[in-house]
Amino acid sequence: MNELMNRTVAQLTARSLLGRRRTLLLMLLPLALLGLCTLARILAGLDPGIAAELDGPLAPDLLTAFGIAIVMPLLGLIAGTGSIGPEIDEGSIVYLLAKPLNRYTIVLTKLVVAIGVVAAFGVLPVFAAGVVLTGEVGSVTVAYAAGAFVAGVAYAAVFLCLAVITRNAVVVGLIYALIWESLVGGLVPGAQTLSIQQWSLAVAKEVFGDGAYRYGIGAAVEFSTGLVALLVVTIGATAYAGRRLQTLRLHDDS
């Protein structure tokens, strides 16, 4: 019964996330990233100076600034909030909660679907962008794909939890993604240690291995710190979302 309900919840969530309008929205960000990287590669073919930069720090800089810092948090916001937020807003969540299904199972199933969406529309395009920029499936490409994946998992969990906590999750999430993660978390030294972006860059740096700093791949935290922080935030957000869902009243119209 639980397995059947898991499958049902997953199918309903995927159908909701991959509706025509939301799919178009999900495609805009990776297309913009790939377009930018393709333009950089074309310019590199025309300018030896740009080509030299692509072989050095320019490719990591572009993947950091647009892939990790912009595309992943925004995709995580769309997938995380979209996996459960509309059901709560419309009140249709009551039909799901009325079923004999553990609340944590509901949250975990929705999170897995959200992660799948983030991987398809975020991680794969980051990987493709790395290939376009560097011309190979090399260390830069693999490192940033790994960093994008762990970032996407954490963002999806955080924003799914936010959707359970408040009906203004999209607004709050946009403020967090654009101001904290993209600006404060990327520029302010003290705040960088509390940024999913920096934690995921620590993973990318570790996957790249020796010579990361020479290629401009750096992070404000060490790999062990970043990995632990990612696990704590992901597990904590998922557990808290399940707990809040347990206390959600079926006939709460507030």
Side-chain angles (χ1 to χ4, degrees):
M1 178 64 176
N2 278 351
E3 183 181 351
L4 177 62
M5 289 300 299
N6 283 344
R7 188 180 300 111
T8 302
V9 172
Q11 290 172 346
L12 291 174
T13 304
R15 191 178 305 165
S16 174
L17 282 175
L18 298 176
R20 182 178 180 182
R21 184 176 302 178
R22 187 169 277 113
T23 298
L24 291 175
L25 184 60
L26 286 166
M27 291 177 64
L28 288 177
L29 291 167
L31 286 176
L33 172 65
L34 289 171
L36 176 65
C37 294
T38 301
L39 177 61
R41 172 49 64 182
I42 293 173
L43 292 176
L46 302 175
D47 188 335
I50 296 178
E53 285 293 313
L54 277 180
D55 291 333
L58 183 56
D61 285 348
L62 286 174
L63 292 174
T64 297
F66 295 96
I68 301 293
I70 295 179
V71 172
M72 297 314 299
L74 290 179
L75 283 176
L77 174 64
I78 296 171
T81 59
S83 64
I84 196 169
E87 292 176 275
I88 295 177
D89 292 340
E90 297 167 4
S92 59
I93 190 70
V94 298
Y95 301 107
L96 185 59
L97 298 181
K99 302 294 183 181
L101 186 64
N102 187 283
R103 303 303 193 253
Y104 292 101
T105 301
I106 295 173
V107 169
L108 186 58
T109 302
K110 288 181 172 295
L111 176 61
V112 170
V113 175
I115 290 171
V117 170
V118 170
F121 290 91
V123 180
L124 291 180
V126 167
F127 183 89
V131 174
V132 170
L133 288 170
T134 63
E136 62 178 357
V137 182
S139 299
V140 171
T141 300
V142 174
Y144 274 91
F149 178 75
V150 295
V153 171
Y155 284 129
V158 168
F159 292 129
L160 186 153
C161 181
L162 194 60
V164 176
I165 295 173
T166 174
R167 293 188 177 183
N168 297 315
V170 174
V171 175
V172 176
L174 275 174
I175 294 173
Y176 170 80
L178 295 178
I179 295 180
W180 183 265
E181 287 292 336
S182 298
L183 294 178
V184 179
L187 300 174
V188 181
Q192 288 180 327
T193 58
L194 299 176
S195 168
I196 293 175
Q197 174 188 338
Q198 294 299 319
W199 302 340
S200 60
L201 285 174
V203 173
K205 175 174 170 284
E206 179 70 15
V207 172
F208 186 90
D210 296 336
Y213 282 116
R214 182 166 60 87
Y215 280 85
I217 304 175
V221 298
E222 296 297 324
F223 169 68
S224 57
T225 302
L227 184 61
V228 170
L230 286 166
L231 289 173
V232 169
V233 166
T234 301
I235 296 172
T238 304
Y240 188 69
R243 181 180 178 186
R244 285 296 297 262
L245 206 59
Q246 281 185 320
T247 61
L248 188 69
R249 288 180 292 173
L250 294 180
H251 301 288
D252 188 1
D253 297 323
S254 59

